[in-house]
């Protein structure tokens, strides 16, 4: 199982521009808790699942409008890559490096 715990400097390439946030991950077996802290506020990762080197979660955001985002990412050493899906708005690339 990959070591996914820790703080990650992430960027989501969204229609509103690059959204940088620190994603903090704490695993407990095959689940994790975490938070995204960025310029648009903080969001808690909910329903976090760990499957080997893959993470999946949802998070509720209020900016720019209330919605639930779905995230998934694969960890490879000290880097992470995946997508954040914003419902009808589509999916946006997420990248990150271990802080």
């Amino acid at each position: 199982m990959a070591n996914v715990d820790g703080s990650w400097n992430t960027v989501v390439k969204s229609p509103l521009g690059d959204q940088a946030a620190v994603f903090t991950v704490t695993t407990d077996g095959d689940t994790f808790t975490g938070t995204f802290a960025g310029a648009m506020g903080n969001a808690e990762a909910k329903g976090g699942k760990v499957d080997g080197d893959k993470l999946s979660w949802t998070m509720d955001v209020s900016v720019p409008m209330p919605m639930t985002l779905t995230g998934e990412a694969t960890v490879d050493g000290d880097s992470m890559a995946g997508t954040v899906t914003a419902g009808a708005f589509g999916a946006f690339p997420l990248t990150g490096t271990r802080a």
Side-chain angles (χ1 to χ4, degrees), residues 12-23:
V12 174
K13 296 205 172 292
S14 83
L16 299 174
D18 289 0
Q19 302 300 317
V22 175
F23 183 24

Side-chain angles (χ1 to χ4, degrees), residues 11-36:
V11 175
V12 174
K13 296 205 172 292
S14 83
L16 299 174
D18 289 0
Q19 302 300 317
V22 175
F23 183 24
T24 305
V25 175
T26 305
T27 58
D28 180 11
D30 61 357
T31 64
F32 78 91
T33 55
T35 55
F36 277 87

Side-chain angles (χ1 to χ4, degrees), residues 5 11 20 26 38-39 47 54 65 73-74 77-78 93 99:
D5 285 270
V11 175
T26 305
K54 294 185 179 4
M65 67 189 71
T74 301
D78 288 334

Side-chain angles (χ1 to χ4, degrees), residues 7-98:
S7 293
W8 297 85
N9 294 316
T10 64
V11 175
V12 174
K13 296 205 172 292
S14 83
L16 299 174
D18 289 0
Q19 302 300 317
V22 175
F23 183 24
T24 305
V25 175
T26 305
T27 58
D28 180 11
D30 61 357
T31 64
F32 78 91
T33 55
T35 55
F36 277 87
M40 290 194 162
N42 296 351
E44 181 182 344
K46 296 182 178 180
K49 301 246 183 288
V50 181
D51 181 8
D53 59 358
K54 294 185 179 4
L55 300 174
S56 59
W57 68 93
T58 63
M59 60 188 168
D60 296 326
V61 297
S62 57
V63 177
M65 67 189 71
M67 70 175 85
T68 299
L69 307 178
T70 304
E72 53 186 35
T74 301
V75 173
D76 182 9
D78 288 334
S79 63
M80 155 186 308
T83 56
V84 173
T85 303
F89 296 100
F92 313 114
L94 173 144
T95 56
T97 55
R98 197 179 298 271

